[in-house]
Amino acid sequence: MKKLKPTTVILVTLFSCILLSIPAPETVGSNDPSITEVTPIELGTITSNYYHMSDNSFDRLYSSDGKLKLSYNTEALLKVNLSSADPGVDLNDLEISLLPVEDNNWKSFGDGTEIQLKTFTNTDQTWDFVEYQLRYLPDGNDRPGNYSFSLNFELIQVGLVIRIIGGKPGPGKKVNLKVSDNSGPVGNASVRVNDEVVGTTNPGGILNNLTFPEDEEKVTIAATHDSREATRVFNFEEDDEEDDEGEEEED
Amino acid sequence: MRKLSILLVGLMLIAGLSVGVIAADSDSHSADANITINSIALLQVNHSSVNLGTLEPGDYTIDDGWQIDSLESEGHTVKAFANFDYAITVEGEDTGSKSLSNTDDFKMKGADLSYSSVIGSSQELVSKDGGTNATWDDIGYKYIPNVNDEPGNYKVTVTYTLSSQ
């Protein structure tokens, strides 16, 4: 067998040390908010039937219903903005609402800022369908033509989330976890395993060497910071992990 | 050896990049929406028929001819709206069983048009910017009597047209 040169050994050792010193990647789990599906909508055509000469008014044009499929299991905020608005149409007259429409749910794109549509707090589910609708109130200054808009929906995590950043969950296994919110790591978060406090996250939001109980089929990890709380449930009886706050497949 | 060093440095870079993947705390998705606005033009002529009156024998004298300047009917209304720049024109057609001896004797006025002959000649009543809902209630019709007109009933059909400019 060929003997390695000392410099090769040094380089390999150096490489290994560097690899080991780099923190493990955060698990991109299903508790990351995501928009998995957006159905397009059609606003249609404004014809002369929309105009009433008697009082010089127009009827509103309502779009077909659009649908968003969202995935979240921490408190999440759904926002929307118009990323490419056509200057030929007055955006004050273009409004959006989630369905079902309730009083005063319509929000105008007029000021050009992002519209906050809804904060999802029902974190015991991991996905949701949300329907939305646009409406447009024509006015006499609208000129004939085709006008396009691009709606940009964004789902943002606003609550706490627990991510496993090292190790593999399992009975008796040790993991490193990280607690964060949309601003970044959350330090000083109290972490409990099956309602027993096991530690507090460091300023980087990390708690290392959290040990899963040996004989529990179902383990709930909870992190609390101020009034906010995130939980994740691991079920080791079956292959699937049921996660009240962050559903994720678990072998 | 040098190749090995380059390889190792490369591996380290790749490793560094690969562990740089972090979890996302937001996600976005776009959807397109379209509106089509058709050309919209509405024109309302609020009078379907106007009677200018009857010339009587007393309206004419041997010495001084016609004692009246014209048969007139004024104060009629037209409304219009269009979402494009537009003009309204009028044009008359002698459609009666008897023909006027001189079609120039039938005249119209209103909006920006002063009394003008309209039979066989299109005249612009007004032009407006798009988006303007406007009403003109000064539409007038008149006929200047002509000694060559035979007794009978005469009819002129006036067509209003709104068109883009």
Side-chain angles (χ1 to χ4, degrees):
Chain A
M1 186 177 168
K2 191 177 179 181
K3 190 177 180 182
L4 287 173
K5 293 180 179 177
T7 48
T8 306
V9 173
I10 291 169
L11 279 171
V12 169
T13 307
L14 182 63
F15 173 63
S16 303
C17 290
I18 290 172
L19 271 185
L20 290 173
S21 67
I22 296 171
E26 295 185 5
T27 305
V28 184
S30 59
N31 57 356
D32 298 315
S34 64
I35 302 172
T36 55
E37 204 177 305
V38 178
T39 58
I41 57 168
E42 186 57 51
L43 266 161
T45 302
I46 296 168
T47 66
S48 57
N49 291 335
Y50 283 77
Y51 179 70
H52 303 289
M53 183 171 263
S54 56
D55 57 1
N56 190 28
S57 68
F58 281 89
D59 288 337
R60 275 198 169 88
L61 182 69
Y62 286 81
S63 75
S64 56
D65 296 350
K67 190 180 279 185
L68 303 173
K69 187 177 181 184
L70 310 175
S71 176
Y72 63 92
N73 47 23
T74 181
E75 194 174 325
L77 172 65
L78 179 63
K79 301 196 296 184
V80 64
N81 63 42
L82 278 177
S83 60
S84 60
D86 197 309
V89 166
D90 185 355
L91 297 183
N92 284 303
D93 298 327
L94 184 65
E95 299 174 302
I96 188 169
S97 176
L98 295 183
L99 298 177
V101 177
E102 295 166 5
D103 290 343
N104 302 317
N105 265 3
W106 292 102
K107 294 174 180 175
S108 168
F109 287 100
D111 59 8
T113 58
E114 286 183 326
I115 294 175
Q116 297 191 359
L117 289 173
K118 185 175 181 179
T119 300
F120 296 91
T121 56
N122 184 16
T123 54
D124 61 353
Q125 63 185 79
T126 56
W127 61 269
D128 200 355
F129 279 116
V130 176
E131 288 188 305
Y132 69 99
Q133 191 177 38
L134 292 185
R135 70 178 184 179
Y136 182 69
L137 180 62
D139 65 39
N141 294 317
D142 294 337
R143 294 293 171 263
N146 298 310
Y147 301 95
S148 299
F149 313 94
S150 184
L151 298 165
N152 188 39
F153 292 96
E154 188 176 18
L155 188 65
I156 301 170
Q157 166 205 328
V158 292
L160 292 184
V161 64
I162 301 169
R163 292 190 177 95
I164 304 298
I165 60 170
K168 184 177 179 181
K173 300 284 181 61
K174 287 187 176 182
V175 299
N176 301 332
L177 61 78
K178 184 174 184 178
V179 178
S180 61
D181 61 15
N182 58 320
S183 301
V186 175
N188 204 31
S190 175
V191 178
R192 305 187 311 277
V193 175
N194 287 352
D195 283 336
E196 186 178 329
V197 176
V198 294
T200 304
T201 57
N202 66 20
I206 293 171
L207 177 64
N208 290 321
N209 296 321
L210 180 147
T211 305
F212 278 75
E214 285 280 0
D215 302 323
E216 300 284 347
E217 292 176 346
K218 185 176 180 181
V219 176
T220 300
I221 298 179
T224 307
H225 185 260
D226 295 334
S227 60
R228 299 181 299 171
E229 181 175 89
T231 61
R232 294 188 69 174
V233 179
F234 298 85
N235 191 333
F236 301 117
E237 184 182 27
E238 299 171 1
D239 282 348
D240 290 339
E241 171 201 342
E242 286 178 12
D243 190 342
D244 287 347
E245 182 82 337
E247 189 170 280
E248 172 182 8
E249 291 297 312
E250 183 67 24
D251 291 329
Chain B
M1 181 60 214
R2 191 176 172 185
K3 284 181 181 174
L4 181 62
S5 303
I6 292 170
L7 179 66
L8 285 173
V9 171
L11 283 172
M12 283 187 274
L13 281 173
I14 292 168
L17 289 173
S18 64
V19 297
V21 177
I22 60 169
D25 59 6
S26 70
D27 189 25
S28 62
H29 213 302
S30 293
D32 291 333
N34 300 290
I35 299 176
T36 300
I37 300 176
N38 282 355
S39 295
I40 298 174
L42 292 168
L43 178 62
Q44 256 181 28
V45 179
N46 293 359
H47 50 285
S48 58
S49 159
V50 171
N51 189 351
L52 292 181
T54 303
L55 287 172
E56 304 286 350
D59 295 331
Y60 185 83
T61 63
I62 295 291
D63 294 332
D64 299 319
W66 289 109
Q67 296 300 297
I68 57 172
D69 293 330
S70 61
L71 296 172
E72 294 180 4
S73 181
E74 295 185 343
H76 300 287
T77 302
V78 168
K79 291 182 176 181
F81 170 82
N83 61 355
F84 49 83
D85 296 348
Y86 66 94
I88 299 174
T89 57
V90 288
E91 184 169 2
E93 184 183 1
D94 189 349
T95 55
S97 55
K98 284 179 171 294
S99 296
L100 293 167
S101 58
N102 181 6
T103 53
D104 285 347
D105 290 335
F106 180 81
K107 298 177 186 294
M108 270 194 68
K109 77 170 183 82
D112 296 340
L113 179 70
S114 55
Y115 269 121
S116 305
S117 301
V118 295
I119 294 179
S121 168
S122 178
Q123 300 286 347
E124 182 176 293
L125 270 183
V126 69
S127 62
K128 299 292 283 184
D129 292 336
T132 308
N133 174 298
T135 300
W136 300 274
D137 53 12
D138 58 349
I139 303 297
Y141 306 86
K142 78 175 177 182
Y143 180 69
I144 299 169
N146 189 310
V147 292
N148 295 317
D149 290 335
E150 296 175 355
N153 294 311
Y154 294 85
K155 186 164 86 172
V156 174
T157 300
V158 176
T159 301
Y160 289 76
T161 304
L162 185 153
S163 54
S164 64
Q165 271 199 321

